[in-house]
Amino acid sequence: MADLAPTVDRPGVHVAKTARDFPATGSYACRCGVSGRATGDDNVRDLVAEWIDHRNTCLHR
Ligand SMILES: [Zn+2]
């Protein structure tokens, strides 16, 4: 299966939740070079909020 994690060349956010009892994993990357990743439902939720916040302020979108 292809690695769907975003990179600087393919910016965006990706969240994976493979099973109910398995913690979600997420990662994001922006054209400006900012990136992050998190594991765990709560952490991924924060990560996505962080990405949205960054996307709203970043000049490189
Ligand atoms: Zn950015």
Side-chain angles (χ1 to χ4, degrees):
M1 184 175 160
D3 185 0
L4 296 175
T7 66
V8 174
D9 292 330
R10 297 183 62 180
V13 66
H14 175 68
V15 175
K17 175 84 172 164
T18 52
R20 182 186 295 272
D21 296 333
F22 197 76
T25 59
S27 62
Y28 73 83
C30 180
R31 285 187 199 282
C32 70
V34 169
S35 66
R37 57 178 58 238
T39 304
D41 291 14
D42 289 345
N43 292 335
V44 169
R45 199 172 301 132
D46 289 346
L47 182 90
V48 173
E50 190 181 312
W51 159 250
I52 291 170
D53 199 48
H54 176 78
R55 199 182 50 185
N56 287 334
T57 55
C58 182
L59 300 175
H60 295 265
R61 61 185 172 222

